[in-house]
């Protein structure tokens, strides 16, 4: 997917954007996109509400060429409701943006509880050597604003932030925990 015209891009293996529940779903395939503006990309859903008993297998690779935000996750780029009994495995997340990157094995940016879920055997990578200001990388979520319960991650997480005025947060479960 290449997008140069809309102000935001929502892309996922099942849906780009959901306002309802995704349940008992599977996405098996790779997602690659380039966008100039804010992007929500997930192995299952780009921007989600509730996701239950679902999984995703495959690579998610996104490049945001201007100074906008990238939300990228194995299940959801950004989640606004609970994720439970979900997993992301055997796929890699690669996010690059001239702005901020939120990247996690389950959710890039968690606004609701994640429980009974895991992410494993994946590479979670961002490269801010050429541009970008902040990156939040976590085995479960890049930025956590909620409760994590009974989750685990067995991933390789790598962030590159060469240059001045760059901030990189990396954690086994959450890159940044605000809860």
């Amino acid at each position: 997917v290449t997008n140069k015209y809309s102000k935001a891009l929502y892309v996922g293996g099942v849906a780009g954007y959901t306002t309802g529940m995704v349940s008992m779903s599977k996405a098996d395939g790779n997602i690659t996109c380039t966008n100039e503006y804010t992007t929500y990309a997930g192995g299952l859903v780009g921007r989600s509400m509730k996701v239950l008993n679902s999984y995703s297998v495959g690579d998610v690779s996104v490049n945001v060429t201007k100074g906008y935000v990238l939300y990228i996750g194995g299940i959801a780029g950004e989640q606004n409701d609970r994720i439970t009994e979900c997993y992301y495995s055997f796929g890699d997340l690669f996010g690059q943006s001239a702005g901020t990157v939120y990247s996690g094995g389950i959710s890039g940016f968690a606004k609701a509880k994640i429980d009974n879920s895991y992410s494993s055997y994946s590479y979670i990578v961002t490269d801010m050597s050429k541009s970008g200001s902040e990156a939040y990388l976590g085995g479960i979520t890049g930025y956590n604003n909620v409760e994590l319960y009974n989750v685990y991650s067995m991933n390789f997480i790598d962030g590159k932030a060469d240059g001045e005025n760059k901030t990189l947060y990396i954690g086994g479960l959450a890159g940044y925990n605000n809860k």
Side-chain angles (χ1 to χ4, degrees), residues 101-154:
V101 176
Y102 298 98
S103 182
I106 297 292
S107 172
F109 196 104
K111 292 183 177 178
K113 183 177 184 177
I114 300 174
D115 65 326
N116 301 312
S117 299
Y118 68 91
S119 176
S120 61
Y121 305 109
S122 301
Y123 285 92
I124 301 169
V125 179
T126 193
D127 183 353
M128 298 187 327
S129 60
K130 295 180 182 151
S131 62
S133 57
E134 292 183 320
Y136 301 81
L137 310 174
I140 297 296
T141 180
Y143 190 98
N144 182 47
N145 221 12
V146 294
E147 178 183 2
L148 299 176
Y149 177 78
N150 194 30
V151 297
Y152 74 89
S153 165
M154 292 180 7

Side-chain angles (χ1 to χ4, degrees), residues 9-160:
L9 177 64
Y10 304 90
V11 61
V14 171
Y17 189 114
T18 65
T19 57
M21 179 173 58
V22 173
S23 179
M24 299 181 72
S25 298
K26 169 192 171 188
D28 187 352
N30 298 329
I31 296 170
T32 302
C33 64
T34 300
N35 187 30
E36 293 183 356
Y37 302 103
T38 299
T39 302
Y40 302 85
L44 203 65
V45 181
R47 192 172 192 191
S48 75
M49 293 305 281
K50 190 178 285 188
V51 182
L52 306 172
N53 196 22
S54 299
Y55 69 95
S56 172
V57 177
D59 299 340
V60 182
S61 179
V62 182
N63 181 20
V64 177
T65 58
K66 292 190 178 178
Y68 291 89
V69 180
L70 168 59
Y71 301 91
I72 182 173
I75 297 294
E78 180 188 70
Q79 86 184 88
N80 293 294
D81 202 338
R82 184 176 180 180
I83 290 180
T84 189
E85 296 179 10
C86 291
Y87 72 88
Y88 175 69
S89 190
F90 298 107
D92 299 332
L93 299 176
F94 179 77
Q96 187 169 352
S97 175
T100 301
V101 176
Y102 298 98
S103 182
I106 297 292
S107 172
F109 196 104
K111 292 183 177 178
K113 183 177 184 177
I114 300 174
D115 65 326
N116 301 312
S117 299
Y118 68 91
S119 176
S120 61
Y121 305 109
S122 301
Y123 285 92
I124 301 169
V125 179
T126 193
D127 183 353
M128 298 187 327
S129 60
K130 295 180 182 151
S131 62
S133 57
E134 292 183 320
Y136 301 81
L137 310 174
I140 297 296
T141 180
Y143 190 98
N144 182 47
N145 221 12
V146 294
E147 178 183 2
L148 299 176
Y149 177 78
N150 194 30
V151 297
Y152 74 89
S153 165
M154 292 180 7
N155 296 314
F156 174 79
I157 304 169
D158 183 26
K160 186 175 181 182

